[in-house]
């Protein structure tokens, strides 16, 4: 079996995926027409050409702008269905999906349209693609604590449909501690916690995410490498880092993929996983991320299997389901 086919066939969980970041330019224009939303780009090509980012903020500006075409249940369904079908082709068996309610409710879109549209697609994927999934409600960290509480309360009727809360958007200057109380409330209501930390922000933000927000895993976390004690703790406690290699290059966290620290984190025994973050903007879905790091960092087929195993371990799946997937990974013959 060729290595590409092997990596595709490995059962994988995608754990760091913003559903709004899967909005491909073609669907964006289709929804713009359907909803009569005027766009400042004449067409798909011009929009794609604008995807030249210098840092996280330069990406977020255009990403929030694109989300303006999402208005109705059906739009959220179509968006999630397109992603889930694409993920299936990459060998994704389970996806834990972020969404940003504040991006939509601030434009007058009811939370019902967002969650019900997404849930309809997730249900359809379980039935028709045998792909399981969970939803993670993210707070926008460039907004305040009050707004985060409002977002959590606004989604109250859907708490039972959510797996966890998360924290995303502009990292620098917005430490996790700003959200300590709203995370405590969410955890008290039975939700798990994850947070973006150590993407552009310092390792202290990773520590805050662990100690104040009590996260089960850290999204990105690549700057943890700057703090030896933190790195040891992440390895010892097997706290997963959901790493997004192509995203990190597009947003200039690393200049080139060859300089990425994923291989080193793996060698140091951390539970690192590979994910696509915002694939419509960063030029690759999860399989492309796996294959790109394999090439750039000279990772072996065993490393690919370890990354797939880590994604299952780091997921919120039940232990019995994890065991089934580990067995499938172990049963796949390694490529020559
Ligand atoms: N929202 C979508 N993608 C993000 C990222 N990579 N970091 C922070 N917030 C995000
Ligand atoms: Zn992200």
């Amino acid at each position: 079996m060729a290595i590409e086919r092997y990596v595709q066939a490995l059962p994988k969980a995608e754990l760091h995926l913003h559903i709004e970041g899967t909005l491909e330019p073609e669907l964006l224009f289709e929804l713009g027409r359907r909803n009569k939303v005027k766009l400042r780009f004449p067409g798909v090509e011009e929009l794609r050409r604008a995807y030249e980012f210098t840092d996280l903020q330069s990406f977020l500006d255009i990403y929030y702008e694109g989300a303006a075409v999402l208005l109705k249940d059906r739009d959220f369904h179509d968006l999630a269905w397109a992603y889930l079908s694409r993920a299936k082709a990459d060998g994704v068996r389970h996806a834990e999906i972020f969404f940003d309610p504040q991006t939509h409710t601030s434009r007058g879109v009811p939370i019902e349209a967002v969650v019900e549209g997404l849930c309809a697609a997730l249900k359809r994927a379980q039935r028709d693609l045998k792909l399981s999934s969970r939803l993670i409600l993210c707070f926008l960290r460039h907004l305040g604590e009050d707004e985060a509480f409002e977002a959590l309360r606004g989604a109250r009727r859907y708490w039972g449909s959510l797996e966890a809360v998360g924290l995303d958007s502009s990292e620098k200057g917005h430490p996790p501690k700003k959200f300590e109380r709203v995370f405590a409330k969410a955890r008290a209501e039975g939700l798990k916690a994850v947070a973006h930390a150590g993407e552009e922000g310092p390792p202290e933000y990773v520590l805050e995410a662990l100690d104040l927000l009590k996260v089960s895993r850290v999204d990105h976390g690549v700057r943890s490498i700057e703090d030896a004690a933190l790195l040891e703790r992440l390895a010892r406690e097997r706290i997963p880092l959901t790493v997004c290699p192509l995203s990190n290059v597009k947003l200039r966290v690393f200049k080139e993929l060859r300089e990425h620290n994923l291989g080193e984190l793996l060698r140091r025994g951390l539970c690192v996983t590979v994910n696509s973050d915002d694939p419509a903007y960063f030029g690759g879905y999860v399989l492309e991320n796996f294959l790109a790091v394999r090439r750039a960092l000279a990772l072996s087929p065993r490393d690919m299997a370890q990354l797939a195993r880590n994604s299952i371990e780091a997921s919120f799946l039940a232990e019995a389901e994890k065991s089934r997937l580990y067995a499938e990974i172990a049963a796949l013959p390694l490529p020559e």
Side-chain angles (χ1 to χ4, degrees):
M1 196 190 286
I3 182 72
E4 289 77 10
R5 171 78 189 102
Y6 174 74
V7 179
Q8 190 270 339
L10 282 168
K12 296 175 286 296
E14 177 145 58
L15 307 177
H16 186 151
L17 183 282
H18 302 263
I19 202 63
E20 295 88 352
T22 68
L23 181 53
E24 292 286 348
E26 289 77 9
L27 182 59
L28 194 154
F29 273 90
E30 187 186 325
L31 297 182
R33 273 192 298 278
R34 191 154 100 188
N35 290 328
K36 304 189 170 44
V37 176
K38 220 163 155 31
L39 300 166
R40 78 180 157 95
F41 295 96
V44 164
E45 287 316 308
E46 291 80 359
L47 177 58
R48 268 222 172 82
R49 249 182 270 134
Y51 292 175
E52 279 297 329
F53 312 118
T54 50
D55 59 8
L56 175 57
Q57 193 58 52
S58 66
F59 154 69
L60 290 171
D61 292 342
I62 204 159
Y63 161 85
Y64 293 131
E65 186 181 346
V69 300
L70 297 161
L71 294 180
K72 309 276 186 225
D73 298 36
R74 188 181 154 205
D75 307 333
F76 290 92
H77 165 276
D78 293 355
L79 175 68
W81 179 250
Y83 162 68
L84 291 159
S85 316
R86 183 68 188 67
K88 172 76 181 179
D90 279 5
V92 172
R93 303 283 289 274
H94 176 73
E96 298 185 358
I97 299 175
F98 299 134
F99 71 107
D100 291 333
Q102 291 157 292
T103 300
H104 311 298
T105 54
S106 66
R107 300 180 287 113
V109 175
I111 186 71
E112 288 77 8
V114 181
V115 181
E116 285 174 27
L118 294 176
C119 282
L122 268 47
K123 240 170 121 176
R124 185 176 166 199
Q126 177 67 66
R127 189 189 62 212
D128 297 348
L129 307 175
K130 305 283 175 269
L131 198 166
S132 60
S133 50
R134 307 270 199 275
L135 281 180
I136 300 175
L137 180 158
C138 284
F139 303 117
L140 296 179
R141 71 202 302 161
H142 67 274
L143 302 177
E145 184 193 35
D146 288 350
E147 286 95 335
F149 267 110
E150 201 177 298
L152 184 60
R153 274 196 302 269
R156 185 182 195 105
R157 54 187 288 214
Y158 299 112
W159 288 352
S161 307
L162 304 177
E163 185 71 18
V165 291
L167 186 64
D168 64 5
S169 191
S170 325
E171 187 181 7
K172 284 186 187 157
H174 301 287
K177 67 168 178 276
K178 197 170 136 184
F179 299 94
E180 187 174 357
R181 290 184 294 197
V182 71
F183 268 66
K185 168 70 177 163
R187 284 186 286 100
E189 295 299 339
L191 297 169
K192 299 182 181 85
V194 300
H196 284 54
E199 178 186 19
E200 285 189 342
E204 291 74 41
Y205 285 17
V206 176
L207 276 167
E208 283 187 18
L210 295 173
D211 295 332
L212 305 181
L213 307 187
K214 309 210 183 302
V215 296
S216 304
R217 57 184 191 235
V218 175
D219 298 311
H220 294 296
V222 289
R223 286 196 57 194
S224 303
I225 206 152
E226 296 166 31
D227 178 339
L230 171 61
L231 213 58
E232 266 172 43
R233 175 177 172 192
L234 293 169
R236 192 174 57 247
E237 297 180 19
R238 287 217 44 92
I239 297 160
L241 302 186
T242 64
V243 175
C244 306
L246 292 176
S247 162
N248 289 159
V249 174
K250 281 281 181 188
L251 303 188
R252 306 199 187 168
V253 174
F254 295 93
K255 229 176 22 232
E256 289 184 77
L257 209 48
R258 273 187 312 188
E259 295 175 12
H260 202 288
N261 62 16
L262 178 88
E264 183 171 357
L265 296 172
L266 195 62
R267 277 192 299 281
R268 290 194 187 207
L270 272 81
C271 183
V272 283
T273 72
V274 167
N275 308 270
S276 66
D277 205 6
D278 302 283
Y281 293 88
F282 301 150
Y285 285 76
V286 75
L287 179 57
E288 284 153 286
N289 274 270
F290 268 80
L291 295 175
V293 287
R294 191 192 75 81
R295 282 189 300 268
L297 305 175
L299 299 182
S300 67
R302 280 182 205 284
D303 292 329
M304 295 289 102
Q306 184 63 49
L307 289 167
R309 244 188 326 268
N310 287 353
S311 76
I312 306 302
E313 177 184 342
S315 76
F316 293 127
L317 282 166
E319 286 306 321
E321 184 57 22
K322 288 185 181 184
S323 298
R324 269 194 290 278
L325 291 166
Y326 293 146
E328 272 193 51
I329 294 171
L332 266 186
L334 281 166
E336 323 286 78

